[in-house]
Amino acid sequence: MKKMLIMCLFAIFFVGCASGFKSFYNPWFNENYFPQEAYLKEGEEPVLMKTSDLDAKYREVTSRWYWCIGYSGFNGPNYSENAVYRSIANFSKEVKAKVVIWSKSYTDTRNGVFSSPQTHYHSYVDAYGMGHTYTTTSYSTYSYSIDRYDYSAYFLFRFLKNIECCMPLVLL
């Protein structure tokens, strides 16, 4: 019973990571707003970059003519880096982003207690030879502690590949 409960909790956590980026995705442009050649092609793999300073990395990447097509962020338990990479890679293929910059930062620890019922079946024969059965229920109490993290990701692509000249920005 305890193994089954733990396996269910892990399954929920890994499904949470996979759906977290998708569930909280906020597109900045309508789908296919840009020319098709700008988006990730079928069979092409996105470039994933992990950073501890998401804002600085965002400014660095976008200064090289990359455009952000959307953002996603959520708070969840500590997923393995491999699970996060798979989740981001799969979702970036859906939105056709060529580059994803993402970060993971600790927020807090949540503690709690839960009870799990266990049913016990009993039987006996009385003095008259009649068989009787009854059940009893006992409860096992378990405690847990889960570290929580903020996951954030920007989904980008390079809009201009070759820039031969750049005109200065003139403010009027």
Side-chain angles (χ1 to χ4, degrees), residues 12-95:
I12 289 169
F13 291 153
F14 286 115
V15 167
C17 182
S19 66
F21 289 104
K22 185 174 186 172
S23 298
F24 297 101
Y25 180 68
N26 182 20
W28 291 5
F29 298 96
N30 292 334
E31 190 173 335
N32 298 322
Y33 180 79
F34 295 99
Q36 285 301 311
E37 56 270 4
Y39 294 101
L40 187 73
K41 313 253 181 310
E42 187 73 33
E44 193 176 357
E45 288 297 317
V47 175
L48 308 178
M49 293 184 275
K50 182 180 179 185
T51 181
S52 58
D53 189 351
L54 193 61
D55 292 332
K57 191 66 166 178
Y58 176 81
R59 286 189 300 273
E60 176 190 332
V61 171
T62 56
S63 72
R64 295 186 184 128
W65 294 98
Y66 281 86
W67 286 68
C68 185
I69 57 174
Y71 169 83
S72 183
F74 67 97
N75 184 272
N78 187 16
Y79 299 113
S80 73
E81 199 154 310
N82 189 28
V84 176
Y85 269 101
R86 280 194 322 259
S87 176
I88 292 173
N90 290 337
F91 185 63
S92 65
K93 289 175 186 177
E94 280 185 45
V95 296

Side-chain angles (χ1 to χ4, degrees), residues 12 33 49 59 72 119 125 145 151 160 168-169:
I12 289 169
Y33 180 79
M49 293 184 275
R59 286 189 300 273
S72 183
T119 304
V125 177
S145 178
Y151 295 89
L160 301 171
L169 179 64

